[in-house]
Amino acid sequence: MAFKITSRLCTLPHQVRSCQVTSRCFSSSRFQVQHDPHAHRFTLIPSSGTDPDEVAVLHYKFTGEKEVDLMSTYVPESIRGQGAAALLSQAAMDFLVREDLKARISCWYIKKYLQEHPRELYKDRVIADTFQS
């Protein structure tokens, strides 16, 4: 599955471009998002000029063979309001699409993100009526 994740590129809007490392990553001029499939998390690391310990994280867990729960996002105060949680949410939703997974959304922010970004591609990935467009 790791090869499958790192071998594909996905398109992201405007300021974000994709890159490849051992695990999937997305970067912008301010942040780099890395997917750690073994730890079931997406991590956003600020670019140079900020404290490298100030990382934002989106946690998920598998609840079935093709089902995950997007459980939580955390963004340190120092980088809040800069789109960090949105980048993490987008990376997680793109992961669902690439891997043909369904998700329950436990995190309030991801629910909000999906309401503000009502893409059919994402809507089809959400289980039950946890997501309303």
Side-chain angles (χ1 to χ4, degrees), residues 42-77:
F42 290 86
T43 306
L44 182 135
I45 303 164
S47 299
S48 62
T50 56
D51 184 353
D53 293 328
E54 294 290 313
V55 298
V57 180
L58 183 152
H59 291 277
Y60 67 92
K61 68 178 177 182
F62 277 87
T63 56
E65 187 175 328
K66 298 292 270 181
E67 182 180 306
V68 298
D69 182 3
L70 300 179
M71 302 183 313
S72 65
T73 55
Y74 169 76
V75 178
E77 271 190 57

